[in-house]
Amino acid sequence: MIQLRKSEDRGHANHGWLDSHHSFSFADYYDPAHMGFGPLRVINEDRVAAGGGFGTHGHRDMEIISYVLDGELAHKDSMGTGSVIRPGDVQRMSAGSGVRHSEFNHSKDQTTHFLQIWIQPNVTGIPPSYEEKNFSEAEKRGKLRLIASPDGADGSVLIHQDAKLYVGLFDGDETASLPIAAGRLVYVHIARGNVEVNGTALKSGDALKLREVDLIEIAKGENAEVLVFDMVP
């Protein structure tokens, strides 16, 4: 089963300082047909205007991944972590028993473009934790690079769920494939550019929900950045 989720069908909210597209129901956007997919609960494509940001707020029992496409995002949290993430950085915060944090774009003239991803954990009430790693363009060029996993394999950030997240950059003749074990769910999100996934042409913001597939094949990219989630149902 392959189901296409078009970019223009996502939820959308523009708060001035924040322009956000929601792949799944979030805040004031509610669609019972799009409440999540497996443990994947949120993919928000956020553009934060210069000087804007999310004030201090709380989370519990959620794996939160931030992936910056353009600009910079400053992070502070109640664990004492302070950091600025940039393109290529992957930030993982396990909210666990509770954490408060803020995120700001301190630039005077540049918009921050990033993906905010929430994955429901398979354990609850754990101590909150934070991790950040950088994955270079060369690591993702023409291949699917593992960036998040339940065991931190291959230098990926560790998430508390049986889910793996891969990212790849594809242009021209670059291709990649990913074997999928029986019974797994796959969600493919196009962060930017154009590409074909299992023969389906996709553009920036589009996504595919896949069940009962044994292989993901990526080809015909045009400045494409692709996220692939391999998850338990």
Side-chain angles (χ1 to χ4, degrees), residues 193-215:
N194 302 290
V195 71
E196 283 192 8
V197 178
N198 285 26
T200 300
L202 302 170
K203 65 182 185 302
S204 179
D206 286 351
L208 288 181
K209 296 179 179 179
L210 302 105
R211 302 175 188 265
E212 299 176 3
V213 297
D214 56 13
L215 189 69

Side-chain angles (χ1 to χ4, degrees), residues 50-51 105-111:
N105 173 12
H106 292 303
S107 171
K108 295 180 180 179
D109 54 15
Q110 185 176 11
T111 297

Side-chain angles (χ1 to χ4, degrees), residues 13 15 20 22 24-31 41-42 44 118:
H15 304 285
S20 183
H22 310 316
F24 304 108
S25 295
F26 186 87
D28 293 333
Y29 167 62
Y30 174 74
D31 183 342
R41 180 61 188 85
V42 168
N44 289 347
W118 294 9

Side-chain angles (χ1 to χ4, degrees), residues 175-198:
T175 63
S177 61
L178 180 69
I180 304 297
R184 305 283 287 183
L185 298 179
V186 178
Y187 191 88
V188 180
H189 178 86
I190 311 306
R192 57 179 146 207
N194 302 290
V195 71
E196 283 192 8
V197 178
N198 285 26

Side-chain angles (χ1 to χ4, degrees), residues 13 27 44 46 93 100-101 104-105 116 144-145 183 186-187 190 192 195 199 209 215 230-231:
N44 289 347
D46 291 341
M93 188 174 70
R100 294 178 64 78
H101 76 140
F104 275 92
N105 173 12
Q116 181 182 168
L144 289 170
R145 174 61 161 100
V186 178
Y187 191 88
I190 311 306
R192 57 179 146 207
V195 71
K209 296 179 179 179
L215 189 69
D230 173 1
M231 307 172 289

